[in-house]
Amino acid sequence: MLNLPDRLGSRLSGAQFANLHTFVAVARHLSFSQAAQELCLTASAVSHRIARLEQALALRLFERLTRRIRLTAEGERLYQVLQGLEAQLQEALQPSTEEVSGALSLYVRPSLAQHWLVPRLADFQQRYRQVSLDIRTGNEPVDFRTRPVDLALLYGHGEFPGLASQLLMDERVAPVCSPQYAERHGLIDHPGRLAQCTLLHDALAWEHAAFDAEWQRWAGEQGVQQHLPARHLTFDRSDLCSAAASHHAGVAIGRQRLVQPLLDQGALILPLGGFSQTAGQGYYLVHPPRERLPLRLRVMIGWLQVQVGDG
């Protein structure tokens, strides 16, 4: 198997480092023209730099398709190596101080950001005053090549192909609705009466999920699929489902870490019993694979783990 660091050392001269920088830009955008705009070069100049790099390494780094390009297996490996070197360089250039510093971008699902992460951020700011934290939210799949994101906090089953991931905290789910809605439909301890209800769906519960995936998973585990009605409302956030449920619009699948405050306030109840755990379901920390994470990223992961332990 090719050892990229050895190959780089034996085949590259100092003049090739500009070509490596160009390669990283092209690999990030998977576009010669977009890389050219970033580097203030012509697309022809970018193409020539890549050709010279491929010749020096005796490797083909990109596959040229009809209207796009993609990395070859060796190109992907080189890109991962250079990303790791870039992170190490950024850490090495930090001021020599015990205080962690630098910019850090965290991508989070909107519901979790609003109801779990944001209320805790003051503690992070007090502990790490020299870290500039940028929180971005969204439901679309995160592309670490094209978005300036260091770490993502995602809900799902832990399947993130090509990325490193670790479970931060698990999640338990159960149907929730307002007390008034449960009484109106005689729903307490009667799952068969779901057929008379409106179901509230988070249509983007996790990547590639069907619009009713959470309800189908819960109903399958409980053996009550036959009672699920066709009548529904869909949202793109779990907390909007819970908010609609608290205002008598229907029954939602509540995630305990998000809906517990509404349960404590009495705005929601658990009409069909307590929360249940689905194997592997939870919130995962996701990032590109690296041999060693930058210090600021290791600090953020450690802090998030402490927050889970603190409840």
Side-chain angles (χ1 to χ4, degrees):
M1 183 175 290
L2 181 63
N3 187 313
L4 281 173
D6 291 345
R7 187 70 163 268
L8 286 174
S10 63
R11 297 265 179 136
L12 289 180
S13 65
Q16 289 286 4
F17 281 100
N19 297 337
L20 285 172
H21 179 59
T22 302
F23 166 76
V24 171
V26 176
R28 181 167 57 249
H29 294 290
L30 290 179
S31 166
F32 286 105
S33 60
Q34 291 183 37
Q37 291 178 7
E38 176 184 324
L39 300 172
C40 297
L41 297 170
T42 65
S44 177
V46 169
S47 180
H48 281 99
R49 286 190 178 186
I50 296 301
R52 288 194 294 269
L53 182 62
E54 289 179 321
Q55 183 178 9
L57 292 175
L59 293 174
R60 193 161 65 115
L61 301 175
F62 294 99
E63 293 183 35
R64 279 74 168 175
L65 306 176
T66 304
R67 294 187 178 180
R68 61 188 179 93
I69 60 173
R70 67 185 179 195
L71 286 163
T72 64
E74 298 295 1
E76 181 68 43
R77 292 181 59 213
L78 178 58
Y79 184 52
Q80 296 299 331
V81 168
L82 293 175
Q83 278 191 314
L85 292 175
E86 183 180 37
Q88 292 177 34
L89 181 60
Q90 289 177 353
E91 185 173 337
L93 293 177
Q94 284 192 7
S96 179
T97 173
E98 294 182 358
E99 197 162 18
V100 183
S101 63
L104 192 154
S105 179
L106 178 62
Y107 181 78
V108 193
R109 292 291 184 250
S111 297
L112 187 65
Q114 180 169 342
H115 295 279
W116 188 84
L117 178 63
V118 170
R120 293 168 163 80
L121 287 179
D123 179 77
F124 184 87
Q125 291 298 98
Q126 290 176 348
R127 292 175 184 271
Y128 306 106
R129 295 182 179 274
Q130 299 305 313
V131 175
S132 299
L133 189 58
D134 179 24
I135 304 294
R136 298 300 172 102
T137 65
N139 285 314
E140 65 273 14
V142 59
D143 188 340
F144 289 93
R145 297 181 190 279
T146 59
R147 300 188 64 163
V149 174
D150 297 297
L151 181 68
L153 180 50
L154 307 177
Y155 183 61
H157 304 288
E159 298 176 0
F160 306 99
L163 299 171
S165 66
Q166 64 183 90
L167 180 65
L168 176 66
M169 54 185 176
D170 57 15
E171 184 60 286
R172 302 196 303 161
V173 300
V176 295
C177 66
S178 69
Q180 296 92 326
Y181 193 90
E183 182 177 359
R184 186 188 317 151
H185 291 84
L187 195 56
I188 302 296
D189 296 327
H190 288 90
R193 293 177 182 169
L194 280 172
Q196 307 166 15
C197 299
T198 298
L199 300 189
L200 309 176
H201 298 291
D202 177 0
L204 299 174
W206 54 81
E207 289 186 18
H208 312 302
F211 80 94
D212 59 350
E214 283 191 296
W215 267 108
Q216 291 293 343
R217 182 175 293 273
W218 176 85
E221 292 174 349
Q222 303 297 319
V224 296
Q225 298 101 315
Q226 71 275 17
H227 299 309
L228 296 185
R231 188 168 53 256
H232 61 262
L233 291 175
T234 59
F235 302 85
D236 63 355
R237 291 175 50 162
S238 178
D239 61 339
L240 294 180
C241 293
S242 302
S246 71
H247 288 88
H248 329 303
V251 189
I253 289 292
R255 301 174 196 164
Q256 186 175 14
R257 294 186 183 275
L258 303 183
V259 303
Q260 192 62 54
L262 291 173
L263 292 170
D264 294 341
Q265 297 164 15
L268 291 176
I269 63 170
L270 300 167
L272 301 177
F275 291 101
S276 60
Q277 174 70 52
T278 299
Q281 188 77 7
Y283 301 96
Y284 288 82
L285 296 169
V286 182
H287 56 80
R290 296 175 179 174
E291 289 187 8
R292 180 174 174 81
L293 295 176
L295 178 59
R296 66 190 185 283
L297 200 51
R298 300 199 305 271
V299 164
M300 168 56 76
I301 291 173
W303 177 80
L304 288 168
Q305 290 169 335
V306 168
Q307 298 307 302
V308 175
D310 289 345

